[in-house]
Amino acid sequence: MPQLTEDPSGLLEETRRQLGRVPNLYAALANGPAALAGYLAMRDHLTRGVLRARLREQLALLVAQENHCTYCVSAHTLRGGKLGMSQDELARTREADADDPHTRAVLRLARDVMRTGGRVDDEALAAARAAGVTDAELAEIVAHVALNTLSNYFNHLARPDLDFPEVPA
């Protein structure tokens, strides 16, 4: 799929504002301006949610791993490193694991949401709540799964050139 370089709608500039650059995936998604606009709007709103930046990045990495998206695993590994995550933390995130019990609960719940289509059993939900996961966080976890699945699936379809150091999913 071609990667747009013209920006009559300003969507590529909005991508640059939010991400600091225009990754090839988003330049390809710009072929469907409504899809890119919807993605950017949801992403922008979620940055103002209750989940902090580091945990949002961990969710993106986990979702990319679960969806076997090398492009997005590569992108979020790089971004996670820039947020101070060690190689061990990045690897453990991809397995829904973390030292912090709350982070681990968020990651495991997100993985369960993906693997069950949102039909998380009572035991998993109780474990998340016992680790302090709030109702607001539950809603945002599902929203982050949806947001990142959109970019993963579009990547699989569009196959943009990888513009990050490769990290196989």
Side-chain angles (χ1 to χ4, degrees):
M1 186 168 287
Q3 297 164 15
L4 297 187
T5 55
E6 294 180 16
D7 192 21
S9 62
L11 289 171
L12 296 177
E13 187 51 42
E14 177 61 15
T15 301
R16 186 173 288 105
R17 183 189 72 75
Q18 286 190 27
L19 303 178
R21 60 183 291 224
V22 179
N24 290 339
L25 174 62
Y26 301 101
L29 189 56
N31 283 290
L36 181 56
Y39 175 88
L40 292 172
M42 186 172 187
R43 184 188 180 285
D44 187 49
H45 284 283
L46 287 172
T47 64
R48 296 189 299 264
V50 297
L51 298 176
R52 63 194 188 285
R54 181 185 184 94
L55 190 50
R56 293 192 311 264
E57 197 58 42
Q58 287 177 285
L59 283 166
L61 179 57
L62 173 68
V63 172
Q65 179 63 46
E66 286 291 307
N67 284 323
H68 308 287
C69 182
T70 293
Y71 184 100
C72 296
V73 166
S74 300
H76 294 295
T77 296
L78 179 68
R79 186 153 165 77
K82 288 183 178 183
L83 290 175
M85 286 183 239
S86 70
Q87 289 301 310
D88 180 63
E89 287 174 293
L90 292 165
R92 290 178 67 199
T93 292
R94 292 170 66 181
E95 299 298 323
D97 193 21
D99 288 335
D100 174 65
H102 179 263
T103 299
R104 185 172 48 252
V106 166
L107 294 173
R108 289 190 177 162
L109 186 67
R111 184 180 63 190
D112 287 348
V113 165
M114 293 188 70
R115 291 181 177 180
T116 67
R119 294 173 186 88
V120 176
D121 64 37
D122 292 343
E123 185 179 308
L125 191 55
R129 290 192 183 284
V133 177
T134 67
D135 288 344
E137 289 172 323
L138 290 173
E140 288 185 24
I141 290 164
V142 174
H144 279 281
V145 167
L147 178 72
N148 287 286
T149 296
L150 184 152
S151 62
N152 298 165
Y153 284 11
F154 184 74
N155 174 68
H156 295 161
L157 176 71
R159 300 182 194 129
D161 293 336
L162 183 61
D163 47 347
F164 302 96
E166 185 172 352
V167 179

